[in-house]
Amino acid sequence: MSEPRILLVDDEEELRRSTAQALELSGFEVDTFASGDQVLELIGYSFSGVVVSDIRMPGMDGMTLLEKIREIDAEVPVILVTGHGDVQLAVKAMREGAYDFLEKPFTAQHLAGIVRRAMDRRNLVLENRRLRAVAGKRDDIEARLPGRTQIMVDLRYRLRAIGATDADTLIIGETGAGKEVVARAVHDISARANRPFIAINCAALPETLIESELFGHEAGAFPGAIRSRYGKFEHGRGGTILLDEIGSMPVDLQAKFLRVLQERVITRLGSNETVELDVRFLATSKVDLGAEVAAGRFRADLFYRLNVATLHVPSLAQRRADIPLLFLQLVREASARYGRDDIVVPPGLTSQIAQRDWPGNVRELRNAADRLVLGLDLRPGDGADGVERETPRLADKVAAFEKSVIESMLNAHGGSLRPVYESLSISRKTLYEKMQKYGLDRKIASGEALDDIEDSRRG
C-alpha cells in the first residue's frame, strides 16, 4: 500500500502553493499538480490518499477528473473546490460520487477536517479489502475481472503470480475484452503501485513526433523544439508503462524500443547522454504477433523479448457462461454511475443477452447495460455487426431460458442444490439431469467453491 497523501490539483499557482502549505501545517503529505492528467497516473486500487481539485480549470476540469478517477476506483475520495457561482455544479458532482466540496474562500481548519475524514474513509475501504482478501473472499482482482468459468479463474491466478514480479508482460486479447483492465490490475498489485501508470496508444502516436513523444528531446533538436522535454518513457520512471496495441508500432521504432527493453536506458533526441530507466513494460495486442512476425511487420527479437510472461484475456465467446452474471454486475455499476435506482433484470432478458454474439466483448456488453439503465432499446435480437441472423427455434428459446433460470438459482444459492430444486418444485435427480444437459457445474456456480479452487492453485 502506498503512503497516505493528498494530490492537490489547481491551475492557479499561488492558490495551489498556499493550500498545500496549509495542509502540510496540518500534518499531511501533499503533492501538487497544475492539471489532472498526471494525477490519473497515480490513482489505482492501492492508492491510499485523497484528491483535492478545483472545478474550473483549462483542459481537464474537476468534473472530468472525478469521472476518470471513478472509472479507475470509485471509492477514491475526491474533494472539489468551487467558486460561489459553481455551487450547483458541485452539488451535481456530489450526486455523481464526489466525497465533498468546498466553497471559496475556506479556512485551513475546514479543509483539514474534510481531508482527515476522507482519509479515514479511504483507510477503512482499503482495510476492508485487505481483510476480504485474507479471508478468501471476492477480492479486488475478481471485482475487476469477474467470472466463474475456469478460463477466468486461470487468468486471475496467472495475473496474481505475474503481477507480484517485475517481469515485462504481453497481454493478448480481442478488442473490448479488457486488456487495459488487466494491465491496470498487474500494476496495482505490484511493488510499483504507488508510482505512475503511463498508458501509450501506439496506434494514435503521430508518426512524425513519435520518437519525441516516447524518448523526449533537447531544445533545438528539431524545428519547433523551443525547450527540453521529458518523453513518456522518462516520465514513467519508477512505475509501469503500458504500450497499447504494440503491433502498430513502426518497424524502425521497434529496433530502438528493443534496446530500451534490453538495456533500460534512453537517449533524448538531440542528446548524446543516456538516461537510466527504471520502469516495467506491459504491452497489449489484439492481433497474433507471431503472425505479424511471419509477415515481416513485427521484429522477431522484440516479440520473443516481450513473450516471456503472457496473459491471454478471453473473449466473451470463450466464456459465454459468465455473460448473465457479468451483465447484471455492469447494470449495477451503470445504475450507480448514472444515479439511478437498481433495476430488476428479467430472467428472459438475461437469457437473450447470453445467447447473443458480442464481437465488441465486455465494452459492448457495458454499453448494453448503460442503455438498459437509461431506458433505451437494447435490441437484444440484433447482431452487433448488423448481420441478420436466423431466428432461434422455440425449443432452443425454451432451453436457453431454462438454463438461465437454473444457473441464476445456483449462483443465488452459492451452489447449494436443495434450495434450488425445492424452489423450482423438481426432484434432486431432475435437477442433476438438467445441470448435466446444460453443462452447469455447481462448483463454478458456487462462490465458496471458486475460492477453494483459487486457494488450492495458490497453495
Side-chain angles (χ1 to χ4, degrees):
M1 184 186 298
S2 57
E3 290 298 317
R5 54 181 171 162
I6 300 169
L7 306 184
L8 174 64
V9 191
D10 199 309
D11 61 309
E12 296 183 24
E13 183 177 357
E14 190 62 37
L15 185 58
R16 187 169 68 244
R17 185 185 301 115
S18 62
T19 304
Q21 288 176 349
L23 288 169
E24 288 167 350
L25 288 173
S26 297
F28 297 107
E29 295 289 331
V30 184
D31 293 335
T32 61
F33 305 87
S35 68
D37 299 303
Q38 291 176 303
V39 170
L40 293 175
E41 297 162 4
L42 300 173
I43 299 297
Y45 264 52
S46 61
F47 173 68
S48 60
V50 173
V51 177
V52 179
S53 175
D54 194 15
I55 284 187
R56 299 287 184 182
M57 295 184 294
M60 184 186 297
D61 61 19
M63 295 291 289
T64 305
L65 178 61
L66 169 66
E67 179 184 352
K68 291 186 177 296
I69 289 175
R70 286 182 59 77
E71 288 174 358
I72 299 171
D73 183 352
E75 294 184 285
V76 172
V78 178
I79 301 166
L80 294 175
V81 178
T82 172
H84 178 69
D86 294 329
V87 172
Q88 291 300 319
L89 188 60
V91 172
K92 178 176 181 290
M94 293 284 288
R95 290 198 298 267
E96 295 182 4
Y99 177 80
D100 208 337
F101 72 92
L102 278 165
E103 186 178 358
K104 300 175 184 177
F106 50 83
T107 65
Q109 292 82 359
H110 187 198
L111 172 60
I114 294 176
V115 168
R116 191 167 286 109
R117 290 192 295 274
M119 284 281 193
D120 290 342
R121 174 174 168 177
R122 183 60 178 171
N123 290 337
L124 182 61
V125 166
L126 295 179
E127 179 64 13
N128 285 340
R129 289 177 180 177
R130 188 189 67 80
L131 291 174
R132 285 199 302 269
V134 170
K137 302 299 182 182
R138 179 182 168 96
D139 64 5
D140 292 331
I141 301 302
E142 189 179 350
R144 284 191 268 181
L145 295 166
R148 301 298 191 182
T149 51
Q150 191 62 46
I151 197 169
M152 287 302 293
V153 174
D154 291 342
L155 172 61
R156 291 192 294 265
Y157 170 75
R158 285 182 56 81
L159 190 154
R160 291 184 179 101
I162 292 173
T165 72
D166 215 19
D168 297 330
T169 304
L170 182 61
I171 303 170
I172 305 293
E174 293 182 4
T175 298
K179 298 187 293 295
E180 186 165 348
V181 175
V182 169
R184 277 269 184 188
V186 169
H187 171 74
D188 287 344
I189 65 175
S190 73
R192 299 176 180 269
N194 63 335
R195 303 300 299 161
F197 177 87
I198 311 293
I200 302 170
N201 186 343
C202 295
L205 288 172
E207 191 167 345
T208 55
L209 297 174
I210 189 169
E211 288 190 52
S212 172
E213 285 289 320
L214 298 182
F215 298 100
H217 62 256
E218 299 291 348
F222 53 85
I226 300 173
R227 59 179 63 88
S228 298
R229 181 178 182 272
Y230 278 0
K232 292 185 180 295
F233 286 168
E234 199 169 349
H235 184 59
R237 283 181 298 183
T240 302
I241 293 178
L242 169 63
L243 295 166
D244 195 20
E245 298 306 337
I246 193 171
S248 61
M249 180 180 285
V251 175
D252 58 340
L253 186 63
Q254 291 175 23
K256 297 178 181 179
F257 176 56
L258 177 62
R259 177 173 178 263
V260 175
L261 273 177
Q262 292 173 334
E263 301 178 16
R264 285 312 201 262
V265 296
I266 61 169
T267 303
R268 297 179 193 161
L269 292 180
S271 173
N272 294 320
E273 300 293 328
T274 58
V275 178
E276 291 190 4
L277 198 63
D278 173 26
V279 298
R280 179 185 193 176
F281 283 104
L282 307 178
T284 70
S285 179
K286 64 184 176 185
V287 298
D288 181 355
L289 291 183
E292 293 295 288
V293 170
R297 291 187 292 266
F298 200 81
R299 292 181 61 100
D301 46 6
L302 178 56
F303 172 62
Y304 294 125
R305 179 64 180 77
L306 283 171
N307 204 29
V308 175
T310 306
L311 292 170
H312 292 274
V313 185
S315 65
L316 286 185
Q318 294 174 291
R319 55 184 187 113
R320 191 173 290 276
D322 285 334
I323 293 177
L325 286 180
L326 179 56
F327 182 70
L328 294 177
Q329 175 171 319
L330 294 172
V331 168
R332 288 194 297 271
E333 292 175 0
S335 298
R337 190 164 60 251
Y338 293 115
R340 303 292 180 90
D341 293 334
D342 289 339
I343 64 175
V344 177
V345 181
L349 179 58
T350 57
S351 175
Q352 289 177 323
I353 291 291
Q355 294 304 308
R356 176 179 164 179
D357 291 332
W358 297 95
N361 293 296
V362 179
R363 184 181 301 152
E364 185 185 1
L365 190 65
R366 179 179 290 108
N367 291 340
D370 285 4
R371 289 198 298 273
L372 178 66
V373 169
L374 294 173
L376 303 178
D377 184 14
L378 277 183
R379 301 186 306 278
D382 295 342
D385 51 8
V387 177
E388 186 176 349
R389 290 176 170 79
E390 181 181 352
T391 302
R393 296 179 303 136
L394 176 61
D396 294 333
K397 290 185 175 182
V398 171
F401 176 75
E402 186 175 59
K403 176 184 177 182
S404 174
V405 171
I406 294 174
E407 189 172 30
S408 298
M409 295 288 288
L410 285 168
N411 280 291
H413 294 289
S416 178
L417 299 185
R418 179 185 291 275
V420 176
Y421 65 72
E422 287 182 348
S423 61
L424 294 177
S425 299
I426 59 177
S427 68
R428 186 183 187 93
K429 180 175 180 294
T430 300
L431 178 59
Y432 269 125
E433 289 173 348
K434 291 184 180 296
M435 288 173 63
Q436 186 175 13
K437 173 184 176 182
Y438 298 128
L440 297 175
D441 187 342
R442 65 183 293 187
K443 290 186 177 181
I444 295 300
S446 167
E448 180 180 355
L450 176 63
D451 293 330
D452 292 341
I453 292 171
E454 294 195 337
D455 285 345
S456 66
R457 293 184 69 102
R458 288 194 292 267

